[in-house]
Amino acid sequence: MKNRFRLYRRTKGGVFYVHDSETGKQESLGTRDRAEATSLLNARNEAVRQPHLNLQIAKAYLAGTDSAVLRALRCFQ
């Protein structure tokens, strides 16, 4: 499967950007660190590739940062 987003770096400023191959839009990632930019790029491509996992991943991140969210999730189960 072809990746929807591509990573590039502009020469002026050195900030990394992503290019959406479907819409043609370009967006700044707001970082000059290649490792961080690659991580953000991979997250975007995975979100497109496996949309059914997005909610589960979001819940896992929220539960790790906010214990109130975890308690709220348990109430609904």
Side-chain angles (χ1 to χ4, degrees), residues 8-74:
Y8 68 96
R9 185 178 193 173
R10 291 202 176 150
T11 54
K12 186 176 181 180
V15 177
F16 284 94
Y17 287 77
V18 291
H19 175 81
D20 187 342
S21 62
E22 285 189 10
T23 63
K25 292 184 179 180
Q26 300 169 350
E27 184 179 344
S28 171
L29 293 176
T31 184
R32 289 183 172 91
D33 182 26
R34 180 175 295 278
E36 186 178 354
T38 303
S39 178
L40 292 169
L41 173 73
N42 291 336
R44 286 180 185 231
N45 282 322
E46 282 297 317
V48 171
R49 217 174 285 127
Q50 300 175 358
H52 59 281
L53 290 179
N54 287 345
L55 183 59
Q56 297 298 334
I57 293 170
K59 286 180 183 178
Y61 278 122
L62 284 173
T65 59
D66 191 2
S67 60
V69 172
L70 184 58
R71 285 193 299 273
L73 291 173
R74 287 184 187 157

